[in-house]
Every structure is written in C-alpha cells, then in structure tokens.
Amino acid sequence: MLVQGKTLLFTGSASPELAESIGIREALSWIKSHGWQYATLETDCLTVVQALRSSTDMISPFGQVIF
C-alpha cells in the first residue's frame, strides 16, 4: 500500500548508479523528516545495494553519496 509519494527534479548528468543513490538518500531524508519509524524502500540497482552493504571506502561522487 502506498501511503505517500514524492517526485523531485534534478538537472545535470549522472551515472544511473549515482542517480539511484541520490534518490535513495533523498527518500531516506524525507522519511526521517516525517518521523516515520517503519518504511520500505525498494531499488532494482544491485550496484547500489552492494555498495550500501559494503564497508569499503569509495572515493568518488557515488561513494560520497553512499557514505
């Protein structure tokens, strides 16, 4: 069940992985700002999922968003 949704527009170019990680970061920030205790966030980007689960430091724009 979808309770709420939000759309944002960013201009510029980015890799799909960077764009997905920015989207996840923005979604988590939005969830936190509403004070929600439980939320489900889904993605189909395996690279982002693996990066989020990894403890490896990544020195890149993608890594800075993941951190």
Side-chain angles (χ1 to χ4, degrees):
M1 169 174 33
L2 177 65
V3 176
Q4 286 190 358
K6 183 176 180 177
T7 302
L8 295 173
L9 175 64
F10 292 91
T11 57
S13 63
S15 69
E17 294 83 7
L18 179 58
E20 187 77 9
S21 62
I22 290 170
I24 290 170
R25 182 189 63 193
E26 292 296 320
L28 291 172
S29 176
W30 183 58
I31 290 166
K32 183 179 178 181
S33 73
H34 281 80
W36 294 332
Q37 296 295 315
Y38 303 99
T40 300
L41 185 63
E42 297 182 359
T43 181
D44 62 352
C45 187
L46 181 60
T47 303
V48 174
V49 172
Q50 289 172 332
L52 288 169
R53 291 181 174 171
S54 173
S55 60
T56 303
D57 289 333
M58 295 175 276
I59 303 172
S60 66
F62 173 71
Q64 295 302 309
V65 173
I66 293 296
F67 177 68

